[in-house]
Amino acid sequence: MSSAAQPPDPAAAAAAAQAAAAAMHQFTVEAWTLLSIGIVVTMLRTYGRIKAVGIRGLQADDYLVWLGVTFYAVETSLAYSVGAVAQGLANNGMTDEQRATLSPDSQEYKTRIVGSKIQLAGWSSYSVLLWSLKASLLVFYMRLTAGLNKSYLIRIYIGFGLLVGSFITILMNLFLACRPFHKYWQINPDPGNTCQPAISNQIIWVYLSMNVITDLYLISIPVPMLWQSSLKPVKKFGLIILFSGGLFVVACAILRCALIVTDPVNGAQLAGSWAVRETFVAVITTNLPMVFPLIKIWLAPIFGSLLTTMRSQQKLTDKESRSDLRTFGGGSHQSWRRRGGPPTANPITNITFTESEERMVDDVKMQDLKGWTDSSTTGSVPNSNNIRKHVEVAVVSEVRDDRDLPDNQRHVVGDEENQQHGNFAFARGPRRSSYTGQARM
């Protein structure tokens, strides 16, 4: 309120001050707690990446997330300053009479100027923060789809173009919409809604539209491929949710804009509060695809792997235990029939959770997934967009009547040379003289 306004009731003023102090304390605890969680999650992501590929193996997305976290800390500090320094004031929420009677030498006048500049700086840090996180996702998608159909790479390049164009748009709108620039912190006369950075409709709607468009496009890259995959429904929807975190950012952005527009008086304080919440969600959802596999690895010894146990039980049948033929490696040209169907037409999604986790944490390329082979049997493989796993099978026969003999006296078909050393053929890998079969999955 201006200095010329009638003094409020002392009791009401004291109650209002107490409520404002409580709200400020609550926001302070929330903002710095969210920042701490965001930093920890980013550190976990970096730890997982360094553990998988080493420091020299880090890619651009690993550095972009730290750029985002740096500006997240800046934004949180500015949001805290809105209440702690500017007391929630800016050059908005005043009538023409209040503007005219407010003395330029008063503390409120100076506080409103500082508050307006903090709001302007907040929008700037908000821009760099969100768009650096979006860029990190695109770089991650490039690594995720490396070696697959070029259409995926084209869509990612389009995404980079969209990011650059939208980033230029929001910055030009922020710094050129209000001319001359100093009107962003002008008190009297009224500079107009466009030059009130805390509640400017033009700033709010341009940021919202560019934010929503870019987030939806980023989601459109991995989700359709997952939807068309042959994965089981539980796995499919789990991965879709994992890669659709941008929807939560969109929801927070819409809610933030709606609250600011509907409450122009307290818009400055609301802008700072919801900006921190929105960017926290953005930091978490950007790092989640990298952190989730690491957490699962840590929790595996506690809860065990039910999926691995079930698969192991299926392989250990009475028929196999009584068989005279023992195989090491496994697989055949019809092995996919026992697993529910042929490979999918969408190679990026024909993966299990374990393989996808290796893809995200260990930087495993889909086109490099192949089995171990002997150098003498290595041959050329036709180029294809599908994932091919080459599994080398070494079959070792054992005479049933020799079971009671010591290991070094048993006769193994196909490896007479090793019998002099008492070794089984599979102990050294497949040889030229042993039977090998190649299976494709």
Side-chain angles (χ1 to χ4, degrees), residues 150-198:
K150 290 184 178 180
S151 61
Y152 301 140
L153 190 60
I154 293 174
R155 294 171 64 183
I156 294 175
Y157 285 154
I158 294 175
F160 277 114
L162 182 61
L163 280 190
V164 173
S166 59
F167 187 69
I168 294 175
T169 299
I170 59 175
L171 289 185
M172 291 182 64
N173 175 70
L174 179 63
F175 293 108
L176 300 180
C178 179
R179 308 303 300 173
F181 192 72
H182 66 81
K183 292 181 68 176
Y184 267 128
W185 52 86
Q186 177 177 299
I187 305 298
N188 186 46
D190 188 352
N193 178 268
T194 302
C195 294
Q196 297 175 9

mmCIF file of all heavy atoms in Angstrom, residues 150-198:
data_model
loop_
_atom_site.group_PDB
_atom_site.id
_atom_site.type_symbol
_atom_site.label_atom_id
_atom_site.label_comp_id
_atom_site.label_asym_id
_atom_site.label_seq_id
_atom_site.Cartn_x
_atom_site.Cartn_y
_atom_site.Cartn_z
ATOM 1 N N LYS A 150 17.039 -43.352 -39.439
ATOM 2 C CA LYS A 150 17.388 -41.942 -39.493
ATOM 3 C C LYS A 150 16.210 -41.034 -39.188
ATOM 4 O O LYS A 150 16.411 -39.855 -38.858
ATOM 5 C CB LYS A 150 17.960 -41.596 -40.866
ATOM 6 C CG LYS A 150 19.343 -42.186 -41.124
ATOM 7 C CD LYS A 150 19.892 -41.715 -42.459
ATOM 8 C CE LYS A 150 21.298 -42.269 -42.683
ATOM 9 N NZ LYS A 150 21.859 -41.819 -43.990
ATOM 10 N N SER A 151 14.992 -41.544 -39.308
ATOM 11 C CA SER A 151 13.825 -40.706 -39.016
ATOM 12 C C SER A 151 13.821 -40.246 -37.570
ATOM 13 O O SER A 151 13.371 -39.145 -37.252
ATOM 14 C CB SER A 151 12.531 -41.473 -39.312
ATOM 15 O OG SER A 151 12.432 -42.637 -38.493
ATOM 16 N N TYR A 152 14.350 -41.090 -36.660
ATOM 17 C CA TYR A 152 14.439 -40.690 -35.258
ATOM 18 C C TYR A 152 15.397 -39.515 -35.102
ATOM 19 O O TYR A 152 15.133 -38.564 -34.370
ATOM 20 C CB TYR A 152 14.915 -41.858 -34.390
ATOM 21 C CG TYR A 152 14.031 -43.069 -34.454
ATOM 22 C CD1 TYR A 152 14.578 -44.344 -34.498
ATOM 23 C CD2 TYR A 152 12.653 -42.952 -34.471
ATOM 24 C CE1 TYR A 152 13.776 -45.471 -34.544
ATOM 25 C CE2 TYR A 152 11.845 -44.064 -34.521
ATOM 26 C CZ TYR A 152 12.405 -45.321 -34.558
ATOM 27 O OH TYR A 152 11.602 -46.421 -34.613
ATOM 28 N N LEU A 153 16.543 -39.595 -35.799
ATOM 29 C CA LEU A 153 17.536 -38.527 -35.710
ATOM 30 C C LEU A 153 17.001 -37.227 -36.305
ATOM 31 O O LEU A 153 17.274 -36.138 -35.776
ATOM 32 C CB LEU A 153 18.818 -38.948 -36.423
ATOM 33 C CG LEU A 153 20.049 -38.049 -36.240
ATOM 34 C CD1 LEU A 153 20.424 -37.981 -34.763
ATOM 35 C CD2 LEU A 153 21.213 -38.570 -37.061
ATOM 36 N N ILE A 154 16.233 -37.332 -37.383
ATOM 37 C CA ILE A 154 15.646 -36.132 -37.991
ATOM 38 C C ILE A 154 14.694 -35.452 -37.018
ATOM 39 O O ILE A 154 14.685 -34.224 -36.877
ATOM 40 C CB ILE A 154 14.934 -36.505 -39.300
ATOM 41 C CG1 ILE A 154 15.951 -36.952 -40.351
ATOM 42 C CG2 ILE A 154 14.121 -35.323 -39.827
ATOM 43 C CD1 ILE A 154 15.329 -37.467 -41.628
ATOM 44 N N ARG A 155 13.897 -36.242 -36.315
ATOM 45 C CA ARG A 155 12.966 -35.666 -35.348
ATOM 46 C C ARG A 155 13.708 -34.984 -34.207
ATOM 47 O O ARG A 155 13.251 -33.956 -33.686
ATOM 48 C CB ARG A 155 12.048 -36.769 -34.806
ATOM 49 C CG ARG A 155 11.117 -37.355 -35.847
ATOM 50 C CD ARG A 155 10.385 -38.564 -35.334
ATOM 51 N NE ARG A 155 9.510 -38.231 -34.233
ATOM 52 C CZ ARG A 155 8.783 -39.131 -33.562
ATOM 53 N NH1 ARG A 155 8.850 -40.414 -33.892
ATOM 54 N NH2 ARG A 155 8.010 -38.758 -32.582
ATOM 55 N N ILE A 156 14.853 -35.536 -33.826
ATOM 56 C CA ILE A 156 15.641 -34.912 -32.762
ATOM 57 C C ILE A 156 16.233 -33.597 -33.249
ATOM 58 O O ILE A 156 16.244 -32.596 -32.519
ATOM 59 C CB ILE A 156 16.739 -35.872 -32.282
ATOM 60 C CG1 ILE A 156 16.101 -37.087 -31.595
ATOM 61 C CG2 ILE A 156 17.690 -35.169 -31.324
ATOM 62 C CD1 ILE A 156 17.100 -38.162 -31.199
ATOM 63 N N TYR A 157 16.721 -33.566 -34.492
ATOM 64 C CA TYR A 157 17.246 -32.317 -35.048
ATOM 65 C C TYR A 157 16.159 -31.251 -35.145
ATOM 66 O O TYR A 157 16.415 -30.063 -34.898
ATOM 67 C CB TYR A 157 17.853 -32.577 -36.426
ATOM 68 C CG TYR A 157 19.187 -33.281 -36.375
ATOM 69 C CD1 TYR A 157 19.632 -34.066 -37.441
ATOM 70 C CD2 TYR A 157 20.018 -33.159 -35.264
ATOM 71 C CE1 TYR A 157 20.867 -34.705 -37.392
ATOM 72 C CE2 TYR A 157 21.235 -33.800 -35.202
ATOM 73 C CZ TYR A 157 21.664 -34.572 -36.271
ATOM 74 O OH TYR A 157 22.890 -35.206 -36.211
ATOM 75 N N ILE A 158 14.955 -31.676 -35.508
ATOM 76 C CA ILE A 158 13.830 -30.733 -35.517
ATOM 77 C C ILE A 158 13.590 -30.195 -34.110
ATOM 78 O O ILE A 158 13.286 -29.009 -33.913
ATOM 79 C CB ILE A 158 12.566 -31.409 -36.072
ATOM 80 C CG1 ILE A 158 12.759 -31.759 -37.556
ATOM 81 C CG2 ILE A 158 11.348 -30.517 -35.893
ATOM 82 C CD1 ILE A 158 11.601 -32.537 -38.150
ATOM 83 N N GLY A 159 13.727 -31.067 -33.110
ATOM 84 C CA GLY A 159 13.574 -30.631 -31.727
ATOM 85 C C GLY A 159 14.598 -29.585 -31.332
ATOM 86 O O GLY A 159 14.272 -28.616 -30.633
ATOM 87 N N PHE A 160 15.854 -29.763 -31.769
ATOM 88 C CA PHE A 160 16.876 -28.749 -31.485
ATOM 89 C C PHE A 160 16.507 -27.418 -32.139
ATOM 90 O O PHE A 160 16.678 -26.350 -31.530
ATOM 91 C CB PHE A 160 18.242 -29.217 -31.984
ATOM 92 C CG PHE A 160 18.956 -30.133 -31.038
ATOM 93 C CD1 PHE A 160 19.200 -31.449 -31.384
ATOM 94 C CD2 PHE A 160 19.382 -29.685 -29.800
ATOM 95 C CE1 PHE A 160 19.865 -32.304 -30.506
ATOM 96 C CE2 PHE A 160 20.042 -30.516 -28.923
ATOM 97 C CZ PHE A 160 20.287 -31.839 -29.273
ATOM 98 N N GLY A 161 16.024 -27.474 -33.375
ATOM 99 C CA GLY A 161 15.599 -26.244 -34.040
ATOM 100 C C GLY A 161 14.447 -25.575 -33.316
ATOM 101 O O GLY A 161 14.413 -24.341 -33.179
ATOM 102 N N LEU A 162 13.513 -26.393 -32.825
ATOM 103 C CA LEU A 162 12.384 -25.847 -32.075
ATOM 104 C C LEU A 162 12.844 -25.210 -30.772
ATOM 105 O O LEU A 162 12.342 -24.142 -30.371
ATOM 106 C CB LEU A 162 11.375 -26.965 -31.795
ATOM 107 C CG LEU A 162 10.087 -26.573 -31.062
ATOM 108 C CD1 LEU A 162 9.296 -25.550 -31.867
ATOM 109 C CD2 LEU A 162 9.241 -27.808 -30.792
ATOM 110 N N LEU A 163 13.805 -25.835 -30.116
ATOM 111 C CA LEU A 163 14.326 -25.269 -28.864
ATOM 112 C C LEU A 163 15.015 -23.934 -29.103
ATOM 113 O O LEU A 163 14.793 -22.965 -28.360
ATOM 114 C CB LEU A 163 15.307 -26.240 -28.215
ATOM 115 C CG LEU A 163 14.750 -27.412 -27.405
ATOM 116 C CD1 LEU A 163 15.869 -28.096 -26.658
ATOM 117 C CD2 LEU A 163 13.676 -26.959 -26.443
ATOM 118 N N VAL A 164 15.851 -23.874 -30.124
ATOM 119 C CA VAL A 164 16.564 -22.627 -30.411
ATOM 120 C C VAL A 164 15.584 -21.521 -30.775
ATOM 121 O O VAL A 164 15.675 -20.382 -30.269
ATOM 122 C CB VAL A 164 17.584 -22.839 -31.551
ATOM 123 C CG1 VAL A 164 18.196 -21.505 -31.973
ATOM 124 C CG2 VAL A 164 18.685 -23.804 -31.114
ATOM 125 N N GLY A 165 14.621 -21.842 -31.636
ATOM 126 C CA GLY A 165 13.636 -20.835 -32.037
ATOM 127 C C GLY A 165 12.792 -20.342 -30.882
ATOM 128 O O GLY A 165 12.548 -19.132 -30.737
ATOM 129 N N SER A 166 12.334 -21.271 -30.034
ATOM 130 C CA SER A 166 11.501 -20.879 -28.896
ATOM 131 C C SER A 166 12.296 -20.091 -27.858
ATOM 132 O O SER A 166 11.778 -19.156 -27.240
ATOM 133 C CB SER A 166 10.875 -22.117 -28.245
ATOM 134 O OG SER A 166 11.885 -23.017 -27.798
ATOM 135 N N PHE A 167 13.580 -20.461 -27.677
ATOM 136 C CA PHE A 167 14.410 -19.734 -26.714
ATOM 137 C C PHE A 167 14.631 -18.294 -27.170
ATOM 138 O O PHE A 167 14.557 -17.352 -26.364
ATOM 139 C CB PHE A 167 15.749 -20.452 -26.543
ATOM 140 C CG PHE A 167 16.617 -19.887 -25.458
ATOM 141 C CD1 PHE A 167 16.269 -20.028 -24.122
ATOM 142 C CD2 PHE A 167 17.782 -19.212 -25.761
ATOM 143 C CE1 PHE A 167 17.071 -19.508 -23.107
ATOM 144 C CE2 PHE A 167 18.593 -18.690 -24.769
ATOM 145 C CZ PHE A 167 18.238 -18.838 -23.437
ATOM 146 N N ILE A 168 14.899 -18.114 -28.453
ATOM 147 C CA ILE A 168 15.061 -16.761 -28.985
ATOM 148 C C ILE A 168 13.759 -15.970 -28.852
ATOM 149 O O ILE A 168 13.759 -14.778 -28.519
ATOM 150 C CB ILE A 168 15.518 -16.816 -30.455
ATOM 151 C CG1 ILE A 168 16.931 -17.407 -30.545
ATOM 152 C CG2 ILE A 168 15.484 -15.428 -31.088
ATOM 153 C CD1 ILE A 168 17.412 -17.613 -31.961
ATOM 154 N N THR A 169 12.633 -16.655 -29.065
ATOM 155 C CA THR A 169 11.334 -15.986 -28.977
ATOM 156 C C THR A 169 11.058 -15.451 -27.578
ATOM 157 O O THR A 169 10.655 -14.295 -27.403
ATOM 158 C CB THR A 169 10.220 -16.955 -29.398
ATOM 159 O OG1 THR A 169 10.437 -17.371 -30.753
ATOM 160 C CG2 THR A 169 8.853 -16.305 -29.282
ATOM 161 N N ILE A 170 11.288 -16.299 -26.557
ATOM 162 C CA ILE A 170 10.964 -15.861 -25.195
ATOM 163 C C ILE A 170 11.919 -14.760 -24.733
ATOM 164 O O ILE A 170 11.503 -13.844 -23.997
ATOM 165 C CB ILE A 170 10.990 -17.047 -24.212
ATOM 166 C CG1 ILE A 170 12.368 -17.716 -24.183
ATOM 167 C CG2 ILE A 170 9.905 -18.054 -24.557
ATOM 168 C CD1 ILE A 170 12.494 -18.809 -23.146
ATOM 169 N N LEU A 171 13.190 -14.833 -25.141
ATOM 170 C CA LEU A 171 14.127 -13.785 -24.725
ATOM 171 C C LEU A 171 13.819 -12.454 -25.414
ATOM 172 O O LEU A 171 13.863 -11.394 -24.775
ATOM 173 C CB LEU A 171 15.558 -14.219 -25.026
ATOM 174 C CG LEU A 171 16.129 -15.334 -24.139
ATOM 175 C CD1 LEU A 171 17.593 -15.578 -24.486
ATOM 176 C CD2 LEU A 171 15.984 -15.013 -22.659
ATOM 177 N N MET A 172 13.500 -12.508 -26.703
ATOM 178 C CA MET A 172 13.138 -11.276 -27.403
ATOM 179 C C MET A 172 11.860 -10.683 -26.836
ATOM 180 O O MET A 172 11.737 -9.450 -26.688
ATOM 181 C CB MET A 172 12.985 -11.545 -28.901
ATOM 182 C CG MET A 172 14.286 -11.870 -29.622
ATOM 183 S SD MET A 172 14.054 -12.109 -31.391
ATOM 184 C CE MET A 172 13.512 -10.474 -31.886
ATOM 185 N N ASN A 173 10.910 -11.542 -26.499
ATOM 186 C CA ASN A 173 9.679 -11.046 -25.901
ATOM 187 C C ASN A 173 9.933 -10.420 -24.538
ATOM 188 O O ASN A 173 9.333 -9.397 -24.186
ATOM 189 C CB ASN A 173 8.682 -12.194 -25.768
ATOM 190 C CG ASN A 173 7.411 -11.792 -25.049
ATOM 191 O OD1 ASN A 173 6.590 -11.034 -25.565
ATOM 192 N ND2 ASN A 173 7.230 -12.297 -23.838
ATOM 193 N N LEU A 174 10.848 -11.022 -23.769
ATOM 194 C CA LEU A 174 11.121 -10.517 -22.426
ATOM 195 C C LEU A 174 11.842 -9.173 -22.467
ATOM 196 O O LEU A 174 11.507 -8.251 -21.707
ATOM 197 C CB LEU A 174 11.957 -11.545 -21.654
ATOM 198 C CG LEU A 174 12.355 -11.164 -20.221
ATOM 199 C CD1 LEU A 174 11.121 -11.002 -19.341
ATOM 200 C CD2 LEU A 174 13.301 -12.218 -19.637
ATOM 201 N N PHE A 175 12.821 -9.038 -23.349
ATOM 202 C CA PHE A 175 13.665 -7.841 -23.344
ATOM 203 C C PHE A 175 13.231 -6.760 -24.328
ATOM 204 O O PHE A 175 13.730 -5.621 -24.247
ATOM 205 C CB PHE A 175 15.116 -8.232 -23.627
ATOM 206 C CG PHE A 175 15.737 -9.054 -22.529
ATOM 207 C CD1 PHE A 175 15.996 -10.405 -22.717
ATOM 208 C CD2 PHE A 175 16.041 -8.480 -21.309
ATOM 209 C CE1 PHE A 175 16.562 -11.163 -21.709
ATOM 210 C CE2 PHE A 175 16.607 -9.228 -20.288
ATOM 211 C CZ PHE A 175 16.876 -10.583 -20.484
ATOM 212 N N LEU A 176 12.327 -7.084 -25.242
ATOM 213 C CA LEU A 176 11.905 -6.091 -26.228
ATOM 214 C C LEU A 176 10.438 -5.703 -26.106
ATOM 215 O O LEU A 176 10.010 -4.738 -26.751
ATOM 216 C CB LEU A 176 12.164 -6.620 -27.653
ATOM 217 C CG LEU A 176 13.617 -6.958 -28.001
ATOM 218 C CD1 LEU A 176 13.698 -7.475 -29.431
ATOM 219 C CD2 LEU A 176 14.519 -5.748 -27.800
ATOM 220 N N ALA A 177 9.664 -6.436 -25.313
ATOM 221 C CA ALA A 177 8.230 -6.132 -25.222
ATOM 222 C C ALA A 177 7.985 -4.778 -24.572
ATOM 223 O O ALA A 177 7.071 -4.042 -24.973
ATOM 224 C CB ALA A 177 7.504 -7.232 -24.448
ATOM 225 N N CYS A 178 8.759 -4.441 -23.573
ATOM 226 C CA CYS A 178 8.583 -3.180 -22.850
ATOM 227 C C CYS A 178 9.675 -2.199 -23.259
ATOM 228 O O CYS A 178 10.853 -2.425 -22.987
ATOM 229 C CB CYS A 178 8.628 -3.435 -21.337
ATOM 230 S SG CYS A 178 8.453 -1.953 -20.320
ATOM 231 N N ARG A 179 9.287 -1.166 -23.930
ATOM 232 C CA ARG A 179 10.233 -0.138 -24.387
ATOM 233 C C ARG A 179 9.762 1.230 -23.930
ATOM 234 O O ARG A 179 8.576 1.547 -24.062
ATOM 235 C CB ARG A 179 10.379 -0.161 -25.902
ATOM 236 C CG ARG A 179 10.713 -1.535 -26.483
ATOM 237 C CD ARG A 179 11.958 -2.142 -25.934
ATOM 238 N NE ARG A 179 13.142 -1.335 -26.187
ATOM 239 C CZ ARG A 179 14.336 -1.608 -25.680
ATOM 240 N NH1 ARG A 179 14.493 -2.631 -24.861
ATOM 241 N NH2 ARG A 179 15.351 -0.823 -25.970
ATOM 242 N N PRO A 180 10.625 2.056 -23.403
ATOM 243 C CA PRO A 180 12.026 1.773 -23.077
ATOM 244 C C PRO A 180 12.147 0.771 -21.932
ATOM 245 O O PRO A 180 11.218 0.576 -21.146
ATOM 246 C CB PRO A 180 12.589 3.137 -22.696
ATOM 247 C CG PRO A 180 11.417 3.924 -22.240
ATOM 248 C CD PRO A 180 10.245 3.446 -23.061
ATOM 249 N N PHE A 181 13.309 0.176 -21.824
ATOM 250 C CA PHE A 181 13.481 -0.966 -20.937
ATOM 251 C C PHE A 181 13.275 -0.606 -19.466
ATOM 252 O O PHE A 181 12.818 -1.432 -18.674
ATOM 253 C CB PHE A 181 14.883 -1.555 -21.140
ATOM 254 C CG PHE A 181 15.088 -2.888 -20.489
ATOM 255 C CD1 PHE A 181 14.489 -4.022 -21.011
ATOM 256 C CD2 PHE A 181 15.881 -3.016 -19.355
ATOM 257 C CE1 PHE A 181 14.679 -5.263 -20.420
ATOM 258 C CE2 PHE A 181 16.069 -4.245 -18.758
ATOM 259 C CZ PHE A 181 15.474 -5.374 -19.294
ATOM 260 N N HIS A 182 13.601 0.629 -19.091
ATOM 261 C CA HIS A 182 13.507 1.011 -17.676
ATOM 262 C C HIS A 182 12.064 1.073 -17.177
ATOM 263 O O HIS A 182 11.825 1.165 -15.968
ATOM 264 C CB HIS A 182 14.201 2.361 -17.435
ATOM 265 C CG HIS A 182 13.523 3.513 -18.114
ATOM 266 N ND1 HIS A 182 12.410 4.145 -17.596
ATOM 267 C CD2 HIS A 182 13.807 4.153 -19.276
ATOM 268 C CE1 HIS A 182 12.041 5.113 -18.394
ATOM 269 N NE2 HIS A 182 12.867 5.160 -19.433
ATOM 270 N N LYS A 183 11.107 1.007 -18.082
ATOM 271 C CA LYS A 183 9.709 0.997 -17.649
ATOM 272 C C LYS A 183 9.341 -0.284 -16.908
ATOM 273 O O LYS A 183 8.306 -0.348 -16.252
ATOM 274 C CB LYS A 183 8.784 1.175 -18.854
ATOM 275 C CG LYS A 183 8.873 2.567 -19.486
ATOM 276 C CD LYS A 183 7.934 2.702 -20.659
ATOM 277 C CE LYS A 183 6.474 2.680 -20.206
ATOM 278 N NZ LYS A 183 5.557 2.906 -21.346
ATOM 279 N N TYR A 184 10.197 -1.305 -17.002
ATOM 280 C CA TYR A 184 9.945 -2.542 -16.259
ATOM 281 C C TYR A 184 9.943 -2.301 -14.745
ATOM 282 O O TYR A 184 9.370 -3.093 -13.990
ATOM 283 C CB TYR A 184 11.001 -3.597 -16.599
ATOM 284 C CG TYR A 184 10.595 -4.536 -17.725
ATOM 285 C CD1 TYR A 184 11.425 -4.754 -18.816
ATOM 286 C CD2 TYR A 184 9.383 -5.218 -17.684
ATOM 287 C CE1 TYR A 184 11.064 -5.620 -19.837
ATOM 288 C CE2 TYR A 184 9.023 -6.084 -18.695
ATOM 289 C CZ TYR A 184 9.860 -6.278 -19.774
ATOM 290 O OH TYR A 184 9.475 -7.139 -20.783
ATOM 291 N N TRP A 185 10.609 -1.262 -14.274
ATOM 292 C CA TRP A 185 10.572 -0.945 -12.832
ATOM 293 C C TRP A 185 10.049 0.481 -12.588
ATOM 294 O O TRP A 185 10.263 1.052 -11.533
ATOM 295 C CB TRP A 185 11.951 -1.128 -12.206
ATOM 296 C CG TRP A 185 13.071 -0.406 -12.907
ATOM 297 C CD1 TRP A 185 13.456 0.879 -12.716
ATOM 298 C CD2 TRP A 185 13.957 -0.951 -13.887
ATOM 299 N NE1 TRP A 185 14.527 1.197 -13.505
ATOM 300 C CE2 TRP A 185 14.874 0.072 -14.243
ATOM 301 C CE3 TRP A 185 14.081 -2.201 -14.507
ATOM 302 C CZ2 TRP A 185 15.870 -0.122 -15.185
ATOM 303 C CZ3 TRP A 185 15.080 -2.394 -15.434
ATOM 304 C CH2 TRP A 185 15.960 -1.359 -15.768
ATOM 305 N N GLN A 186 9.321 1.001 -13.530
ATOM 306 C CA GLN A 186 8.711 2.328 -13.358
ATOM 307 C C GLN A 186 7.493 2.235 -12.449
ATOM 308 O O GLN A 186 6.688 1.330 -12.552
ATOM 309 C CB GLN A 186 8.305 2.876 -14.732
ATOM 310 C CG GLN A 186 7.599 4.226 -14.664
ATOM 311 C CD GLN A 186 7.286 4.768 -16.050
ATOM 312 O OE1 GLN A 186 8.195 5.011 -16.848
ATOM 313 N NE2 GLN A 186 6.000 4.933 -16.348
ATOM 314 N N ILE A 187 7.380 3.220 -11.549
ATOM 315 C CA ILE A 187 6.259 3.245 -10.611
ATOM 316 C C ILE A 187 5.187 4.225 -11.081
ATOM 317 O O ILE A 187 3.999 3.886 -11.134
ATOM 318 C CB ILE A 187 6.740 3.634 -9.194
ATOM 319 C CG1 ILE A 187 7.871 2.693 -8.736
ATOM 320 C CG2 ILE A 187 5.579 3.604 -8.213
ATOM 321 C CD1 ILE A 187 7.475 1.245 -8.625
ATOM 322 N N ASN A 188 5.589 5.418 -11.382
ATOM 323 C CA ASN A 188 4.631 6.458 -11.774
ATOM 324 C C ASN A 188 5.173 7.215 -12.998
ATOM 325 O O ASN A 188 6.340 7.636 -13.010
ATOM 326 C CB ASN A 188 4.401 7.432 -10.612
ATOM 327 C CG ASN A 188 3.312 8.442 -10.898
ATOM 328 O OD1 ASN A 188 2.242 8.080 -11.389
ATOM 329 N ND2 ASN A 188 3.575 9.708 -10.584
ATOM 330 N N PRO A 189 4.327 7.326 -14.023
ATOM 331 C CA PRO A 189 2.955 6.829 -14.155
ATOM 332 C C PRO A 189 2.923 5.313 -14.374
ATOM 333 O O PRO A 189 3.966 4.694 -14.560
ATOM 334 C CB PRO A 189 2.449 7.580 -15.383
ATOM 335 C CG PRO A 189 3.669 7.838 -16.197
ATOM 336 C CD PRO A 189 4.767 8.084 -15.214
ATOM 337 N N ASP A 190 1.717 4.795 -14.373
ATOM 338 C CA ASP A 190 1.534 3.353 -14.555
ATOM 339 C C ASP A 190 2.139 2.917 -15.891
ATOM 340 O O ASP A 190 1.730 3.391 -16.953
ATOM 341 C CB ASP A 190 0.038 3.031 -14.522
ATOM 342 C CG ASP A 190 -0.224 1.530 -14.513
ATOM 343 O OD1 ASP A 190 0.735 0.748 -14.686
ATOM 344 O OD2 ASP A 190 -1.406 1.135 -14.352
ATOM 345 N N PRO A 191 3.120 1.979 -15.879
ATOM 346 C CA PRO A 191 3.749 1.567 -17.135
ATOM 347 C C PRO A 191 2.893 0.633 -17.971
ATOM 348 O O PRO A 191 3.237 0.337 -19.119
ATOM 349 C CB PRO A 191 5.026 0.866 -16.661
ATOM 350 C CG PRO A 191 4.662 0.331 -15.314
ATOM 351 C CD PRO A 191 3.720 1.324 -14.706
ATOM 352 N N GLY A 192 1.803 0.151 -17.419
ATOM 353 C CA GLY A 192 0.953 -0.791 -18.137
ATOM 354 C C GLY A 192 1.277 -2.234 -17.794
ATOM 355 O O GLY A 192 2.364 -2.552 -17.292
ATOM 356 N N ASN A 193 0.342 -3.125 -18.092
ATOM 357 C CA ASN A 193 0.505 -4.532 -17.725
ATOM 358 C C ASN A 193 1.723 -5.166 -18.385
ATOM 359 O O ASN A 193 2.425 -5.980 -17.769
ATOM 360 C CB ASN A 193 -0.761 -5.314 -18.103
ATOM 361 C CG ASN A 193 -0.643 -6.791 -17.796
ATOM 362 O OD1 ASN A 193 -0.237 -7.572 -18.647
ATOM 363 N ND2 ASN A 193 -0.993 -7.166 -16.573
ATOM 364 N N THR A 194 2.009 -4.795 -19.612
ATOM 365 C CA THR A 194 3.145 -5.398 -20.323
ATOM 366 C C THR A 194 4.461 -5.116 -19.628
ATOM 367 O O THR A 194 5.379 -5.954 -19.644
ATOM 368 C CB THR A 194 3.206 -4.876 -21.771
ATOM 369 O OG1 THR A 194 1.977 -5.169 -22.437
ATOM 370 C CG2 THR A 194 4.357 -5.509 -22.529
ATOM 371 N N CYS A 195 4.580 -3.966 -18.972
ATOM 372 C CA CYS A 195 5.826 -3.570 -18.306
ATOM 373 C C CYS A 195 5.802 -3.860 -16.811
ATOM 374 O O CYS A 195 6.584 -3.273 -16.056
ATOM 375 C CB CYS A 195 6.098 -2.090 -18.549
ATOM 376 S SG CYS A 195 6.449 -1.692 -20.269
ATOM 377 N N GLN A 196 4.937 -4.749 -16.380
ATOM 378 C CA GLN A 196 4.913 -5.202 -14.994
ATOM 379 C C GLN A 196 5.353 -6.668 -14.977
ATOM 380 O O GLN A 196 4.544 -7.572 -15.164
ATOM 381 C CB GLN A 196 3.518 -5.036 -14.390
ATOM 382 C CG GLN A 196 3.056 -3.588 -14.328
ATOM 383 C CD GLN A 196 1.633 -3.442 -13.837
ATOM 384 O OE1 GLN A 196 1.003 -4.393 -13.369
ATOM 385 N NE2 GLN A 196 1.098 -2.229 -13.923
ATOM 386 N N PRO A 197 6.637 -6.922 -14.789
ATOM 387 C CA PRO A 197 7.173 -8.283 -14.994
ATOM 388 C C PRO A 197 6.562 -9.352 -14.107
ATOM 389 O O PRO A 197 6.556 -10.529 -14.478
ATOM 390 C CB PRO A 197 8.670 -8.123 -14.697
ATOM 391 C CG PRO A 197 8.768 -6.882 -13.869
ATOM 392 C CD PRO A 197 7.666 -5.986 -14.341
ATOM 393 N N ALA A 198 6.019 -8.972 -12.973
ATOM 394 C CA ALA A 198 5.449 -9.983 -12.082
ATOM 395 C C ALA A 198 4.159 -10.560 -12.620
ATOM 396 O O ALA A 198 3.863 -11.750 -12.404
ATOM 397 C CB ALA A 198 5.204 -9.387 -10.690
#
